[in-house]
Amino acid sequence: MGKKKETASLEDLIEKAGGCAVVDGGFATQLERHGAVINDPLWSALCLIKDPDLIKRVHLEYLEAGADILVTSSYQATLPGFLSRGLSIEEGELLLEKSVKLAVEARDSFWDSVKRTPGHCYNKALVAASIGSYGAYLADGSEYSGSYGPDVDLDKLKDFHRRRLQVLVEAGPDLLAFETIPNKIEAQACVELLEEQNIEVPSWICFSSVDGENAPSGERFKECLDIINKSNKVQAVGINCAPPHFIEALICKFKELTKKAIVVYPNSGEVWDGRAKRWLPSKCFDDDKFELFASRWRDAGAKLIGGCCRTTPSTIQAISKVLKESVLSKEEGR
């Protein structure tokens, strides 16, 4: 299912980027910086309804900053979520499609504008359709606990993800990004759906972590990755929206547990209170620290590096700058 993309397009991009490609940064953060009010269960997906032009603008800002991969605005865009806003299933599906279309349009227009410029340092970006966890839909912070309750089993999670996955695949992204997965059972649901639906679009599965050692549910990452490693539908695994000071050790742990490419895009280190719906003051990384640590994460084995909540295009510019500089210095040393 899904349009057949060039084989190894993700691997090709990583190679073109010099061994480590750049993922974009915090989407809702940047929308809010432009004045969007998204304190809502739909979160950044609210702008698919209210201000799609702003979504495109943010995608372009991340491309200009050096992102090699755009992640769509569909993280909390779910059919049940849209239905709860009074939209029909058809309208909800159109909004999911729109999330991919806006990113593709931004990517194509940006590439058309730079590809003829001699000496430009950009790669043609890939578009990854974001698929947030069940906890992200609940909007109660459970993507950081993995506590879905006794009524949520494997079949329920597959039913929750199935139609959204189908719609996003049909919209034609280059990649699928399952994000902030908090437990083994949801990772299993995602893998089984990819197999059952015969999805041909390459994907990555990213977990969150609140202790720097395990999934938020307390399950060991080995248990989670054992399931993912059996699937050739998943090309990369990693961590998103975890504190940046956890990342280096987690890359080392994942390197021991999988042969798949490792993707990391942490938040700034600030802590989200899912119930109070606000960021709590805490130790965080600024752009300079991201620049410093991005090279360490790459050297530890990450193949895709970006940012999540509370990071901005300037963060991505800092990451892109240090990764590209290292590629240039290697080439000059030959």
Side-chain angles (χ1 to χ4, degrees), residues 142-158:
S142 56
E143 68 265 49
Y144 303 110
S145 71
S147 303
Y148 289 166
D151 296 333
V152 180
D153 59 12
L154 183 66
D155 287 337
K156 182 163 184 174
L157 288 169
K158 285 163 72 172

Side-chain angles (χ1 to χ4, degrees), residues 79 82 89-99 167:
L79 295 175
F82 289 136
I89 288 176
E90 292 77 14
E91 288 168 328
E93 290 182 354
L94 285 171
L95 288 170
L96 284 170
E97 289 171 14
K98 184 188 277 190
S99 71
V167 173

Side-chain angles (χ1 to χ4, degrees), residues 174-232:
D174 303 296
L175 305 165
L176 300 170
F178 294 92
E179 302 187 289
T180 61
I181 302 300
N183 50 35
K184 181 176 75 172
I185 192 171
E186 191 159 18
Q188 183 177 347
C190 296
V191 169
E192 288 190 12
L193 273 178
L194 291 170
E195 299 288 348
E196 289 167 13
Q197 301 288 314
N198 193 25
I199 302 297
E200 294 182 347
V201 181
S203 66
W204 75 57
I205 295 179
C206 277
F207 297 87
S208 46
S209 180
V210 293
D211 64 2
E213 294 183 9
N214 304 296
S217 60
E219 293 161 313
R220 293 180 306 147
F221 279 124
K222 182 182 187 307
E223 299 171 41
C224 302
L225 293 188
D226 281 349
I227 292 165
I228 294 170
N229 286 337
K230 293 171 187 168
S231 173
N232 62 7

Side-chain angles (χ1 to χ4, degrees), residues 219-324:
E219 293 161 313
R220 293 180 306 147
F221 279 124
K222 182 182 187 307
E223 299 171 41
C224 302
L225 293 188
D226 281 349
I227 292 165
I228 294 170
N229 286 337
K230 293 171 187 168
S231 173
N232 62 7
K233 302 287 186 184
V234 182
Q235 287 200 329
V237 294
I239 298 287
N240 79 290
C241 216
H245 53 276
F246 291 166
I247 296 301
E248 192 168 354
L250 285 169
I251 294 169
C252 294
K253 183 187 284 279
F254 276 42
K255 281 283 285 181
E256 293 173 0
L257 298 175
T258 187
K259 291 191 168 96
K260 295 183 186 292
I262 294 172
V263 50
V264 293
Y265 45 117
N267 56 37
S268 67
E270 293 163 82
V271 176
W272 174 249
D273 184 331
R275 296 196 178 277
K277 304 285 189 292
R278 66 188 181 93
W279 289 98
L280 303 176
S282 51
K283 183 182 176 185
C284 63
F285 272 34
D286 58 17
D287 294 345
D288 289 341
K289 273 201 171 176
F290 267 97
E291 183 174 335
L292 172 67
F293 276 79
S295 55
R296 288 173 56 168
W297 298 337
R298 176 206 58 214
D299 293 345
K303 296 295 184 186
L304 300 149
I305 297 174
C308 203
C309 295
R310 310 295 273 182
T311 64
T312 67
S314 64
T315 314
I316 299 311
Q317 187 170 34
I319 292 170
S320 176
K321 175 175 173 280
V322 73
L323 295 180
K324 285 186 167 74

